[in-house]
Amino acid sequence: MYHQLSKLTGRVVATTHLQSPLFPVAPIALQRVETPTIQYTTAQLSTVTEASAPSGQRKLIPGTNTPYPPVSETIRKRQQLFQKDDDVPVFLKGGPVDGLLYRLTMALCVVGLAGIFHTIYGHAFPKKQD
């Protein structure tokens, strides 16, 4: 027996006019479709490539003909400092101030964990009240 939704009452009722089940439906083989080709709009691409640019010309922002703004010398020195391979973690490469901040952070983490364990211990074994 098959059921359908009654339009009058809004409930599921037995149906008499359905002769075959709606599901499962016999599968239909999918047709092979060729994958679409990617088309690039050349209007947004830069006209000068890095290889063909003269040595004095700066690199361009991708997708535009606008050159990158110049980088200051202090930023270049910082980049060289942080990119140097000297087996020092990046969070300590800033010098002694970074080391001090790292140690302070670790100490505060230990104090916080001690406070958490103290609170849990206090809730697990409450003091007896006389």
Side-chain angles (χ1 to χ4, degrees):
M1 176 171 269
Y2 303 108
H3 296 82
Q4 71 178 18
L5 189 64
S6 171
K7 294 180 183 177
L8 182 65
T9 62
R11 296 180 180 214
V12 176
V13 294
T15 179
T16 56
H17 65 278
L18 287 178
Q19 300 299 321
S20 63
L22 297 175
F23 295 102
V25 176
I28 300 171
L30 294 176
Q31 296 178 1
R32 298 272 178 186
V33 178
E34 302 226 2
T35 58
T37 59
I38 298 174
Q39 297 178 353
Y40 297 101
T41 56
T42 57
Q44 295 177 350
L45 299 177
S46 63
T47 57
V48 179
T49 62
E50 185 179 339
S52 65
S55 61
Q57 193 171 3
R58 297 187 308 222
K59 293 182 184 177
L60 301 177
I61 297 174
T64 66
N65 285 330
T66 310
Y68 283 109
V71 178
S72 68
E73 191 60 34
T74 56
I75 292 177
R76 284 189 191 275
K77 287 180 182 177
R78 290 288 287 320
Q79 285 176 343
Q80 289 175 354
L81 173 72
F82 280 93
Q83 291 175 358
K84 186 170 38 173
D85 189 19
D86 55 359
D87 293 333
V88 177
V90 72
F91 54 86
L92 295 176
K93 285 195 177 194
V97 175
D98 281 353
L100 182 67
L101 289 173
Y102 173 72
R103 288 182 185 92
L104 177 67
T105 303
M106 289 298 114
L108 288 175
C109 288
V110 169
V111 169
L113 281 173
I116 290 171
F117 288 130
H118 180 267
T119 303
I120 291 173
Y121 181 81
H123 287 293
F125 304 105
K127 293 181 181 178
K128 294 181 183 178
Q129 296 182 4
D130 294 327

